[in-house]
């Protein structure tokens, strides 16, 4: 199950949760494209639950998206919190190197949302 929503305070949430669906990979890649089309400043909160893996083509498409949209994301995204059940230092390191904006990998949804809000507020955006 995938959901892409906007919280109205500049927070964009991408949730990939249970139960898994055959459409998850395609929906996830489409959501990434929608996020990259944003032109107004935002903070991204990505919530990933479960241990699903995408296929080789899905992983490749995601990597190409990161590379292709880096400049656009750096221009519009103020921060990204990635909420995962078991975050690691390696995940934090990997995601922090993708973009120039602050990234937090955490297991705590509220911590992720607070991180996103804090970085929007630091730029005079959000609630």
């Amino acid at each position: 199950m995938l959901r892409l929503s906007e919280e109205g305070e500049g927070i964009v949430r991408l949730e990939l949760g249970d139960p898994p669906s055959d459409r998850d990979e395609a929906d996830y890649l489409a959501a990434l494209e929608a996020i990259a089309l944003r032109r107004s400043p935002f903070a991204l909160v990505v919530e990933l639950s479960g241990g699903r893996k995408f296929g080789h083509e899905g992983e490749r498409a995601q990597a190409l998206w990161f590379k292709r949209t880096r400049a656009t994301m750096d221009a519009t995204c103020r921060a990204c919190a990635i909420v995962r059940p078991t975050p690691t230092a390696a995940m934090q390191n990997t995601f922090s190197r993708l973009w120039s904006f602050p990234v937090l990998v955490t297991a705590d949804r509220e911590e992720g949302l607070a991180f996103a809000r804090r970085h929007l507020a630091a730029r005079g955006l959000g609630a």
Side-chain angles (χ1 to χ4, degrees):
M1 180 232 32
L2 183 127
R3 189 175 91 158
L4 180 63
S5 61
E6 185 164 349
E7 302 259 321
E9 53 189 26
I11 304 286
V12 174
R13 288 177 71 174
L14 174 59
E15 299 170 77
L16 186 56
D18 292 324
S21 162
D22 291 342
R23 296 260 337 132
D24 284 347
E25 184 173 314
D27 289 349
Y28 173 74
L29 295 170
L32 291 180
E33 293 301 330
I35 290 166
L37 292 175
R38 292 187 58 87
R39 294 298 174 249
S40 57
F42 68 99
L44 181 61
V45 177
V46 180
E47 297 180 48
L48 306 169
S49 63
R52 75 177 54 83
K53 295 273 188 186
F54 292 146
H56 175 72
E57 287 303 312
E59 293 290 335
R60 184 174 181 273
Q62 176 183 251
L64 290 172
W65 179 86
F66 285 129
K67 187 174 189 175
R68 178 173 44 83
T69 64
R70 180 172 290 139
T72 302
M73 289 292 289
D74 283 343
T76 56
C77 190
R78 301 301 180 245
C80 177
I82 301 169
V83 182
R84 299 183 62 121
T86 54
T88 66
M91 288 175 193
Q92 177 69 48
N93 186 43
T94 296
F95 286 108
S96 292
R97 288 186 286 137
L98 290 175
W99 302 292
S100 64
F101 50 81
V103 174
L104 172 69
V105 180
T106 180
D108 185 324
R109 169 195 274 167
E110 291 308 314
E111 180 184 21
L113 286 167
F115 175 84
R117 288 184 185 113
R118 190 168 54 250
H119 285 282
L120 283 172
R123 302 278 184 115
L125 305 165

